Amino acid sequence: MLDRRTLLIGTGAAVATLGAAATPAAAEDVTRVLLQEHPSPAPGWDTAQTLVEIPRGEASGRHSHPGVEVGYLVRGEVRMEFDDHRPPLHLRTGDPFFIPTGVIHNAVNTGEETTMMLSTYVVEKGKPLVTTY
């Protein structure tokens, strides 16, 4: 049975580490629910899968991950903004996305409903899953 924990990534959120307990977010906050985590086949790396929800008109806040993020937009619309000068991605329900290691990004909900994203990470063992800026 999976142990699901809510990790905060919204404004003012603390850095979330894999396996860390967290306080549930207020309704207006962005949430990240840890669905599963496992050691990666590559030594020194972990895998994690999360379900991220961003309320209408909200943004995830600028953040990065210590490994790659492979994602899928389950519901809604998002403008994915990047600090490394690449153009923003405009994503809709059913679109996949990929965020390289360490790239600072921000997901802005541009739709009319709460956005839901499924994200899988391969990250360095012992590093925070999310670092906010």
Side-chain angles (χ1 to χ4, degrees):
M1 187 160 245
L2 297 177
D3 177 19
R4 296 182 182 197
R5 294 164 290 218
T6 302
L7 306 175
L8 305 179
I9 64 168
T11 305
V15 173
T17 303
L18 285 176
T23 305
E28 68 274 9
D29 284 338
V30 174
T31 61
R32 177 185 311 272
V33 176
L34 181 61
L35 301 176
Q36 59 181 327
E37 60 184 319
H38 302 279
S40 171
W45 294 83
D46 285 325
T47 57
Q49 189 172 56
T50 64
L51 190 62
V52 179
E53 291 187 293
I54 304 172
R56 187 177 110 182
E58 297 290 325
S60 64
R62 293 173 57 248
H63 65 283
S64 67
H65 310 283
V68 298
E69 176 181 0
V70 180
Y72 177 79
L73 200 62
V74 176
R75 176 181 67 216
E77 297 179 33
V78 161
R79 181 180 66 247
M80 192 73 70
E81 303 168 337
F82 304 95
D83 277 18
D84 67 357
H85 307 294
R86 74 182 72 198
L89 291 176
H90 296 277
L91 305 168
R92 294 175 187 252
T93 300
D95 286 343
F97 61 92
F98 178 84
I99 311 289
T101 302
V103 171
I104 299 171
H105 57 286
N106 183 31
V108 180
N109 182 338
T110 57
E112 296 298 317
E113 62 187 331
T114 297
T115 295
M116 184 181 293
M117 296 182 285
L118 181 65
S119 289
T120 302
Y121 307 88
V122 179
V123 295
E124 287 185 64
K125 185 180 277 306
K127 297 253 179 139
L129 179 59
V130 177
T131 300
T132 58
Y133 299 91

